[in-house]
Every structure is written in structure tokens, then in C-alpha cells.
Amino acid sequence: MAARVARWRGLARHIVSLSESFISLSDESLLTRSREVRWRAKSGTPLGTLLPESYALVRESARRVLGQQHYIVQIMGGIGLFEGGLAEMQTGEGKTLTATLPAFLRALPGRGCHVVTVNDYLAERDCGLMGPVFERLGLTVGCVLSSSEPESRRCAYGQDITYATSR
């Protein structure tokens, strides 16, 4: 466990450094970089190989859109989530922001990614808050609520990232 945490911490520091090199990029250049990463994902490059660059892109997009940057521990949580683990975080520690990292990476190949929340309020809120972070990087975002009609659901599930409840 300690070795895994040390590996995640080192990778998170690398991601922070990489994201800081993106600060000088224009919005257009950031989008171009995102599209290049997406093309590599669709071409079969393993997602784990793309993790540092994609997480750095999301971190920079969040800085521009939300005025927030992922902390090292949030990046570590995002790495753990990508690797199939669970990240336990207290209220206010940034679960919504943390989830943007693996959601973006998992959405890159074009098969869609679902972010599941516990209720309609959170699904709608999280989609509204984090959607612009993904959109700045060229991805589409949808939201499915329990009241959504079938056509609206179909449309939302056709997006790159879909926020929904477990129902």
C-alpha cells in the first residue's frame, strides 16, 4: 500500500508540473492538445500512458473555467479511481472536482463515461459545474434525471460524459 501511495504521489507531482507548463497555452492550443490526446486514445494508445497529460489538461481547464486547481491528494484520488480503486473523501474535500480526472480519461476513446451520483440534485449540479471543464477540452456532457423522457435520456447517454443517478 505504501509503495502504491508513493507512486501516486510522484505521478501527481509530475502532473502538477505538466499542468503548470500548460498555463501559457492559449485556449485554442489547449483544445488542440486535448484533441491530440483523444486521437491517440481512439487509435489504441493505452489510457494509462495518457493519464499524466490528460490529467494535466483537466487541471488546467479547471483552473481556467472554475478558478480551481486539483490538489496533489485529489490527483492521487483520481489516479486511484482510474486504477479501479475507491477514493473516500469527506464533505468539502472535492469529490466532484476529483472525479473530472478519471471521467475525462475514460471518455477519450469515444465509448462514453458515466459519472454516477446519489440523487438527481447532485447529478444536475455536478453536470452544470463540471460540464464547462470538459467542454473547454472538446468533450460533450449530458445529464440523466429520473424525470428525463426517453429521447432526452438517449441524447444524454450519447454524450462523451453523462452524469446520472444509480437508478
Side-chain angles (χ1 to χ4, degrees):
M1 179 64 165
R4 184 180 325 158
V5 170
R7 180 176 59 82
W8 290 350
R9 184 172 287 112
L11 184 53
R13 286 185 178 130
H14 171 65
I15 291 164
V16 167
S17 175
L18 187 57
S19 75
E20 288 172 354
S21 74
F22 293 165
I23 290 173
S24 62
L25 295 178
S26 67
D27 287 347
E28 185 177 311
S29 295
L30 193 72
L31 178 59
T32 298
R33 189 93 184 235
S34 177
R35 288 179 175 153
E36 289 168 357
V37 172
R38 186 161 199 193
W39 182 86
R40 285 185 278 159
K42 286 184 173 188
S43 298
T45 301
L47 294 182
T49 305
L50 301 174
L51 186 145
E53 187 175 5
S54 67
Y55 278 29
L57 286 165
V58 174
R59 186 172 190 262
E60 176 56 18
S61 179
R63 186 190 70 78
R64 293 179 188 200
V65 172
L66 305 172
Q68 299 176 351
Q69 290 182 317
H70 300 78
Y71 291 108
I72 295 252
V73 293
Q74 292 170 319
I75 296 169
M76 291 170 63
I79 295 166
L81 290 171
F82 172 76
E83 292 182 358
L86 297 173
E88 183 177 351
M89 299 170 76
Q90 297 298 317
T91 300
E93 289 186 331
K95 292 180 285 294
T96 304
L97 186 61
T98 298
T100 59
L101 299 165
F104 177 78
L105 183 56
R106 290 287 180 190
L108 289 177
R111 293 186 297 270
C113 175
H114 299 162
V115 179
V116 179
T117 65
V118 296
N119 59 46
D120 283 348
Y121 167 77
L122 289 175
E124 191 170 35
R125 182 202 73 178
D126 293 357
C127 181
L129 286 173
M130 299 301 148
V133 173
F134 299 121
E135 290 164 352
R136 171 79 54 112
L137 297 171
L139 297 187
T140 58
V141 183
C143 183
V144 174
L145 304 174
S146 58
S147 61
S148 296
E149 296 295 325
E151 184 56 35
S152 174
R153 287 174 184 268
R154 238 184 318 280
C155 181
Y157 282 124
Q159 305 307 304
D160 295 313
I161 297 172
T162 304
Y163 282 84
T165 65
S166 59
R167 286 181 246 130

